[in-house]
Structure formats: C-alpha cells, structure tokens
C-alpha cells in the first residue's frame, strides 16, 4: 500500500495470533511480511510456544503485546512483570480488578528488570477493564458490578492511571469516556473490532476499524477477521485502508 501514514497506522493494528502452536502462527506472520503491524500473543499460543517464540518475533523486528492478563497477589504479579520485561515485549497487561496495589506491583516489577539491565526497553503496561465479551447483564448479575459498563470501565481506567500504568484495554465504545477521564495520552487498546460484514463471534461490544480510530483508539486488536480469512494479508490490508480513510 502506498500511503504516507501507512507505517504509522500499521503500528496501531494489533493482529492477534490466536493459534494453538508456533507453526500455525508462523504461517500468518509470513503472510503478513512487510506490514509493520503489532503482533499480539495470547495465552493459548504463549502457553504452547513459550518465551522463545516471543524472542523470535522480536528478532524479526515486530512489536509484541504479550496478552496474559495477570491477576494475582501483588508479589506474584511483580515477579511476573519482571520476567516479562526481561523477555523484551513492548506491551503486557494485568487485570484492573486486581486493584491498585497489584497494578503498582506490575510497574515495580518492570522497573526492577530495567534497573538490573539498562539495555532493556520499558514496556507499556496496561490494565484490562471489562472484556469485550462482557454484556451489561453479565457484569451486573454474574460478576456483581453495579451500574453501566461505561461507568465500570472509566472507574478502572482511573485506578490504573493512579497506579502509574500506561493505559487500558477496553471496548472502542468506551474510548471517548476514557479520554475525557484520563486524557488523550492515556493508551487505549481496543479489541471487539469487526470489519463491516464480519460475524460477531463471542463479542458483544464492537465497532468497525474506522469507527474505533475515529473515537480515538490508540491501538485496535483484530483476530478472527484476519486469521480466519481465506487471504489474511488481503484482510489486513482492507482493515488498514479503512483505518487510513478516517
């Protein structure tokens, strides 16, 4: 694609490598070669392929979001964050529901790794607010959080910012409210992106790529519309065209 902002916008597209193993993921990475997108490695792939796969992606020049959503006692999260930072990822996340002390511990773990090895780069640390599969009914009646989804997300975003984190994972629907509460520099990573005509899958709070960018999302996460497409590269380029035409 020939567009002056192509590389910048490609860096805001996070392709979710939702595969059971490294071989399948490598096929997609090869199909996307030349598109400088962010790559998101979630639990399924990380548990199967391990740290070596992350190192391989970094050696190939990709930015990597390690999406393992840590949620544990602060000391455990501190140690996990230290190990993840040593791995060299560009972004990782924790659950905001773990509370402010746990989120601060994640930041402290990253800082400890940087202090021990100044050659490392500080990863962006973000907090999961409410999963994009969570409906209002689920949040109110099953999780036990009252009020609207937007209210819960904004409250978690403020808590994450107070804890010194860089941003949050949220639906693109909540991005404008997060920007009002936390400022435009506070990072928003938005799953729940479905190009026009795509199925919703298990997502309930979704927007198209162009709508998400228009609302101010810093990064959009796209999985199945790319990974499940007959031509993943073409699907990624179509999404990028929509992002660029906002």
């Amino acid at each position: 694609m020939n567009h002056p902002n192509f590389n910048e916008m490609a860096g805001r597209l996070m392709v979710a490598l939702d595969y059971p193993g490294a071989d399948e993921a490598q096929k997609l990475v090869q199909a996307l070669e030349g598109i400088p997108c962010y790559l998101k490695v979630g639990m399924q792939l990380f548990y199967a392929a391990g740290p070596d796969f992350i190192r391989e992606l970094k050696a190939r020049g990709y930015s990597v979001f390690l999406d393992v959503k840590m949620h544990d006692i602060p000391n455990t999260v501190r140690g996990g964050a230290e190990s993840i930072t040593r791995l060299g990822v560009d972004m990782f996340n924790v659950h905001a529901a773990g509370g402010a002390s746990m989120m601060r511990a994640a930041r402290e773990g990253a800082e400890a790794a940087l202090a021990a090895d100044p050659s490392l780069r500080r990863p962006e640390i973000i907090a999961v607010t409410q999963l994009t599969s969570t409906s209002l009914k689920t949040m109110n009646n099953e999780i036990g959080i009252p009020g609207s989804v937007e209210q819960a997300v904004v409250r978690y975003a403020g808590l994450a910012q107070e804890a010194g984190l860089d941003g949050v994972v949220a639906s693109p629907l909540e991005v404008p409210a997060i920007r009002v509460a936390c400022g435009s520099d506070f990072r928003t990573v938005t799953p729940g992106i479905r190009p026009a005509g795509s199925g919703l899958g298990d997502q309930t709070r979704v927007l198209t790529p162009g709508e998400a960018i228009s609302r101010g999302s810093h990064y959009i996460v796209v999985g199945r519309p790319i990974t499940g497409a007959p031509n993943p590269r073409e699907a990624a380029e179509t999404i990028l065209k929509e992002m660029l035409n906002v």
Side-chain angles (χ1 to χ4, degrees):
M1 293 173 66
N2 186 18
H3 191 288
N5 297 324
F6 174 74
N7 285 355
E8 185 270 333
M9 195 62 76
R12 295 172 65 181
L13 171 61
M14 293 182 161
V15 178
L17 300 179
D18 293 333
Y19 292 101
D23 290 344
E24 299 92 335
Q26 287 287 12
K27 291 178 183 177
L28 180 71
V29 173
Q30 290 168 7
L32 298 177
E33 191 168 353
I35 300 176
C37 56
Y38 228 108
L39 296 178
K40 185 178 83 71
V41 176
M43 287 183 277
Q44 182 184 25
L45 180 56
F46 187 66
Y47 294 161
D52 285 344
F53 183 72
I54 301 294
R55 295 186 185 100
E56 184 176 344
L57 293 179
K58 290 302 302 175
R60 295 178 69 164
Y62 284 100
S63 295
V64 176
F65 169 23
L66 183 57
D67 178 22
V68 291
K69 299 182 180 69
M70 289 191 292
H71 187 172
D72 213 312
I73 63 171
N75 190 59
T76 298
V77 169
R78 184 183 292 107
E82 187 171 353
S83 295
I84 287 173
T85 302
R86 287 200 300 267
L87 191 53
V89 303
D90 301 272
M91 179 183 291
F92 70 90
N93 58 1
V94 300
H95 265 289
S101 293
M102 189 206 75
M103 287 191 279
R104 280 194 294 270
R107 191 192 71 220
E108 291 165 0
E111 291 170 349
L114 296 170
D117 184 356
S119 69
L120 294 170
R121 287 182 56 196
R122 184 192 184 281
E124 291 189 306
I125 309 171
I126 58 175
V128 178
T129 54
Q130 288 296 325
L131 300 175
T132 48
S133 59
T134 301
S135 65
L136 178 63
K137 180 181 177 182
T138 298
M139 192 186 80
N140 291 164
N141 299 341
E142 298 177 18
I143 301 175
I145 298 175
S148 70
V149 173
E150 182 175 287
Q151 288 171 331
V153 167
V154 170
R155 181 168 56 83
Y156 275 147
L159 194 64
Q161 188 174 49
E162 291 174 13
L165 269 57
D166 301 289
V168 290
V169 181
S171 159
L173 294 168
E174 289 101 43
V175 167
I178 294 169
R179 288 170 68 93
V180 169
C182 301
S184 60
D185 290 335
F186 192 64
R187 296 298 195 207
T188 47
V189 177
T190 55
I193 305 298
R194 288 292 183 269
S198 296
L200 295 182
D202 54 3
Q203 306 283 11
T204 64
R205 305 192 329 276
V206 302
L207 287 178
T208 67
E211 289 170 337
I213 293 297
S214 294
R215 282 173 170 255
S217 295
H218 289 96
Y219 301 99
I220 69 168
V221 180
V222 183
R224 282 164 285 188
I226 293 176
T227 60
N231 187 329
R233 185 183 188 88
E234 184 178 281
E237 289 177 342
T238 298
I239 288 169
L240 281 166
K241 286 176 184 176
E242 185 175 345
M243 295 168 68
L244 288 162
N245 288 333
V246 171

